[in-house]
Amino acid sequence: MKAVNLLELEDLARERLPQGPFDFIAGGAEDEVTLRANREAFQRIQLRPRVLVDVSTVDPSTEVLGRRVELPVLLAPVALQRLAHDEGELASARAAEAAGTVMVLSTVSTCTLEDVAAAAGGHKWFQLYPLRNKEGTERLISRAKAAGYTAICVTADVPWLGRREADIRNNLQFGADIVPANLLDEIRLADLASGPRGPAGGAAAGLSDPGLDWDGIDWIRSVSSPLPVLVKGILTAEDARLAVEHGVEGVIVSNHGGRQLDGAPASIEALPEVVAAVEGRAEVLLDSGIRRGTDVLKALALGARAVLIGRPYIWGLAIDGEAGVSSVLSMLREEIELAMALSGCPTVADIDRSRVRLGSPAE
Ligand code: FNR
């Protein structure tokens, strides 16, 4: 692959994809203030390197929900991956397995959750958009359990679909081969195409339940038991505390890659208040804007157990299928190892709060 870093992938993928799908993947909500903030906020954080530490070997492996991952980076749930490559989610899941990490499969995947489970071992989580139809939600969770998924990740920040203006401008429509494979039994395709908010790109909005609240999380936990449940899309201490009170095992600090509420904070800026509110009672993960090994180091130093990447691996998928996703993960792994070595952290356990400085140098 020609890219030297994750930031270069977007332009390479642009050459491979039609404009509609490219913009759907790349875009953010409204003025894309939050989308840009996700990058800018990482750049404002400084690292505090320690020197003269033996870094002859550096080990970026860690544990997430009690299971080992070879690097602290997971593949975020991204809908409709056959838009990027014919093999879609199957290719991403195989690359995650090869890298020794977790793929979080979207509810709105273009390959069925059973096919993805059969295509790749390794441990996988199922991302849940709770459906308006409770029985349908229950069926999805049971299918994920039966297929061997090891956690249920409930996305909480899409009660309504964010306004992605590029999709409106492009009048985004998907071909007949791009279908939400897990949901064909649950909904009529016609309902999807005319979802109440936005174009077909907003498939999730037409089917996901805008009435979901914390009682709904209790119910999802009871149906998902014994699997752990994470809530994705937390940006405040208040919601982090509620998540813990409702017994979830993990929260994912995320603004959905700037695709939902424009004006929401960069997730890395929301991380410290969430970590403080959680007080170690659940695992805290983060996504939105991770592009560099140093971004991963900053997130871990501020209390994230691991991070997830979204668009970068989809660009890799568009460029070169499974091999493309694998190269994205290995580029990021190399950068993480380098960042750890240069800041004097031979293991992930060494990456603590003292390694970063927020805001002014006087801190
Ligand atoms: C997403 N994301 C997402 N999240 C989710 O919970 N379910 C989903 O189906 C999707 N679908 C989806 C499609 C596309 C094209 C994108 C780009 C993103 C959000 C995703 O999980 C993650 O939060 C962001 O992508 C992280 O930001 P970066 O890494 O893309 O900056």
Side-chain angles (χ1 to χ4, degrees):
M1 190 186 291
K2 277 195 284 177
V4 172
N5 59 53
L6 270 58
L7 293 157
E8 292 178 0
L9 296 165
E10 184 167 325
D11 280 340
L12 293 175
R14 194 194 301 266
E15 296 166 11
R16 305 279 178 132
L17 293 172
Q19 187 175 357
F22 175 84
D23 287 349
F24 166 69
I25 298 163
E30 298 183 358
D31 300 312
E32 301 190 334
V33 172
T34 297
L35 179 67
R36 285 189 298 278
N38 282 337
R39 290 298 308 138
E40 290 160 3
F42 276 112
Q43 289 160 3
R44 281 195 297 272
I45 300 171
Q46 290 177 4
L47 291 168
R48 298 184 66 252
R50 298 293 308 277
V51 296
L52 298 175
V53 176
D54 180 356
V55 288
S56 324
T57 58
V58 160
D59 177 7
S61 70
T62 189
E63 271 190 14
V64 180
L65 297 181
R67 288 179 194 250
R68 184 182 160 90
V69 287
E70 294 304 322
L71 76 169
V73 179
L74 286 55
L75 298 187
V78 171
L80 305 177
Q81 295 190 15
R82 291 188 65 216
L83 280 176
H85 188 275
D86 271 354
E87 289 176 22
E89 294 82 6
L90 303 180
S92 303
R94 290 189 189 114
E97 181 190 16
T101 191
V102 176
M103 154 119 177
V104 190
L105 183 75
S106 170
T107 290
V108 199
S109 56
T110 41
C111 305
T112 65
L113 66 89
E114 289 83 3
D115 286 349
V116 174
H123 97 101
K124 289 174 287 297
W125 301 351
F126 182 68
Q127 177 266 327
L128 180 71
Y129 279 127
L131 308 184
R132 289 164 188 265
N133 163 2
K134 251 184 152 182
E135 295 74 45
T137 306
E138 200 164 347
R139 272 193 295 274
L140 276 177
I141 295 172
S142 307
R143 285 171 58 192
K145 278 184 178 173
Y149 289 74
T150 56
I152 302 295
C153 168
V154 186
T155 297
D157 57 7
V158 190
W160 291 27
L161 191 72
R163 187 177 160 83
R164 325 233 174 102
E165 294 183 356
D167 298 346
I168 301 169
R169 220 172 278 124
N170 292 335
N171 188 23
L172 183 66
Q173 308 281 345
F174 298 128
D177 52 333
I178 303 297
V179 292
N182 293 324
L183 303 173
L184 298 181
D185 294 343
E186 303 299 344
I187 37 154
R188 289 185 304 123
L189 277 174
D191 294 343
L192 259 187
S194 60
R197 322 212 180 272
L207 59 96
S208 84
D209 179 7
L212 183 76
D213 59 12
W214 289 104
D215 291 341
I217 296 293
D218 292 341
W219 176 76
I220 289 168
R221 279 194 65 236
S222 71
V223 177
S224 303
S225 173
L227 298 187
V229 170
L230 300 98
V231 176
K232 174 172 182 278
I234 297 287
L235 288 169
T236 61
E238 294 90 320
D239 282 343
R241 244 175 250 120
L242 280 166
V244 170
E245 283 163 22
H246 285 266
V248 307
E249 280 79 6
V251 299
I252 303 182
V253 181
S254 171
N255 54 39
H256 216 99
R259 297 165 72 80
Q260 285 297 105
L261 177 64
D262 200 28
S267 55
I268 193 70
E269 288 189 334
L271 179 63
E273 72 174 73
V274 171
V275 168
V278 167
E279 294 179 315
R281 293 172 291 168
E283 290 191 6
V284 179
L285 286 82
L286 171 137
D287 74 24
S288 301
I290 296 278
R291 300 293 181 270
R292 286 287 188 185
T294 48
D295 299 336
V296 180
L297 199 80
K298 289 169 184 176
L300 266 52
L302 290 169
R305 174 153 289 260
V307 302
L308 303 89
I309 53 171
R311 296 178 186 86
Y313 86 89
I314 301 301
W315 301 142
L317 182 66
I319 295 163
D320 200 11
E322 178 187 341
V325 180
S326 290
S327 5
V328 171
L329 285 167
S330 45
M331 273 194 284
L332 195 51
R333 184 190 170 99
E334 280 174 26
E335 286 190 19
I336 293 167
E337 289 174 352
L338 180 63
M340 290 172 70
L342 294 183
S343 49
C345 298
T347 71
V348 164
D350 299 308
I351 308 173
D352 63 19
R353 181 63 183 79
S354 72
R355 304 303 170 134
V356 290
R357 175 157 58 208
L358 301 179
S360 76
E363 187 203 13

